[in-house]
């Protein structure tokens, strides 16, 4: 198996999410960002989560039932998880494999 096919397979696993940036986001709407993000639940009854990276280039709210289930099952105390994310313009895609807790 070559590196290119592994890379394409991993890229295909990223999930597009509905993202609404908030006023604290430091990246402009057209910028591209690759970052580790934190997803934090607002409540256990809604599908809305807060998302941010260490530099607040990605900062806002998102909706993803699948990622919420990962956070509930594998995240820190069932309400916070860390993931790789890609922001391309106004679109954000997040890889569903949870990462170890981060220090931000």
């Amino acid at each position: 198996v070559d590196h290119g096919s592994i890379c394409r397979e991993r890229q295909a696993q990223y999930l597009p999410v509905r993202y609404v940036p908030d006023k604290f986001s430091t990246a402009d709407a057209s910028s591209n960002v690759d970052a580790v993000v934190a997803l934090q639940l607002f409540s256990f009854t809604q599908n809305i989560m807060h998302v941010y990276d260490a530099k607040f280039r990605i900062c806002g709210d998102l909706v993803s039932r699948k990622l919420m289930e990962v956070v509930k099952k594998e995240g820190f105390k069932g309400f916070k998880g860390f993931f790789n994310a890609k922001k391309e313009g106004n679109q954000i895609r997040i890889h569903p494999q949870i990462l170890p807790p981060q220090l931000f």
Side-chain angles (χ1 to χ4, degrees), residues 17 19 27 29-30 33 36 56 67 72 77 80 94 97 103:
V17 297
Y19 168 70
S30 63
V33 175
V36 172
F56 294 100
L67 290 171
K72 284 180 180 178
K77 296 189 177 182
K80 188 173 191 178
I94 298 178
Q97 182 178 354
L103 297 176

Side-chain angles (χ1 to χ4, degrees), residues 48-68:
I48 300 171
M49 294 179 284
H50 189 65
V51 59
Y52 60 94
D53 73 326
K55 297 181 181 179
F56 294 100
R57 296 168 298 176
I58 297 172
C59 185
D61 299 328
L62 67 82
V63 175
S64 172
R65 186 177 304 261
K66 182 171 183 168
L67 290 171
M68 178 174 271

Side-chain angles (χ1 to χ4, degrees), residues 70-85:
V70 174
V71 170
K72 284 180 180 178
K73 289 180 184 175
E74 301 176 41
F76 178 72
K77 296 189 177 182
F79 79 96
K80 188 173 191 178
F82 298 88
F83 300 84
N84 286 311

